[in-house]
Amino acid sequence: MAIEKNITVSGKRKTSIAKATIKKGNGIVTINKIPYGNLDFFKKLVVKEPIEIARKILGKFDFDISCRVSGGGSESQIQAVKLAIARSIVKITDSDELKQVYTKYDKSLLVADTRRKEAYKPGDSKARRKRQKSFR
């Protein structure tokens, strides 16, 4: 009896956090229990990037990936999902060639964007905005 292993990997973008669970299967990819084919056209293309690259390099894509994503806006959620999917595929295949192709194509497929919102300063209304001066 074959032991089926599930691997969980996370991806972050701004305040969005995505957790992707990958296992052997038929190539079904779901985001919050919705097939990724039902997404908007451009969001579907973003999620499809790491999957298509893996399909070309490995020759087949026989993994089921289910992602849970929360927090942030819709765009940052999609970016977090893309990061989590790419990381999970690299982790389960353990392929150096795939890792190099991802890095060469787009570094953000494997490395998270660490930019965050700047903190508010004391006595001011926003992070960079200063109080208006009156010279009269």
Side-chain angles (χ1 to χ4, degrees):
M1 182 187 267
I3 298 172
E4 198 173 290
K5 62 177 183 175
N6 291 348
I7 295 175
T8 303
V9 181
S10 68
K12 288 183 181 181
R13 174 74 173 111
K14 290 188 176 180
T15 56
S16 298
I17 300 171
K19 293 190 181 197
T21 305
I22 188 169
K23 61 183 178 181
K24 290 281 187 190
N26 304 320
I28 299 168
V29 180
T30 59
I31 300 165
N32 289 343
K33 296 183 180 178
I34 298 170
Y36 86 98
N38 294 353
L39 294 173
D40 293 339
F41 180 72
F42 292 110
K43 292 178 181 176
K44 181 169 48 175
L45 288 179
V46 170
V47 173
K48 205 173 183 180
E49 272 180 339
I51 297 168
E52 288 302 316
I53 293 171
R55 188 171 280 142
K56 285 181 181 174
I57 298 299
L58 301 173
K60 62 186 182 331
F61 185 78
D62 55 349
F63 307 110
D64 287 345
I65 303 174
S66 67
C67 290
R68 300 289 301 169
V69 62
S70 63
S74 62
E75 225 24 69
S76 66
Q77 283 187 349
I78 291 298
Q79 294 294 325
V81 166
K82 178 175 93 166
L83 177 65
I85 287 174
R87 282 181 172 175
S88 64
I89 293 170
V90 167
K91 193 165 185 178
I92 200 166
T93 59
D94 206 26
S95 170
D96 284 334
E97 182 187 1
L98 182 62
K99 194 173 184 178
Q100 288 173 353
V101 170
Y102 275 160
T103 307
K104 190 173 181 182
Y105 176 74
D106 186 6
K107 188 179 170 191
S108 66
L109 283 173
L110 297 177
V111 180
D113 188 354
T114 58
R115 294 177 295 171
R116 298 290 180 256
K117 189 176 177 212
E118 192 170 340
Y120 288 125
K121 307 304 184 292
D124 291 326
S125 58
K126 291 193 169 184
R128 295 284 177 113
R129 189 188 179 288
K130 300 299 175 205
R131 286 269 169 109
Q132 187 173 358
K133 291 186 178 122
S134 174
F135 293 105
R136 297 189 184 108

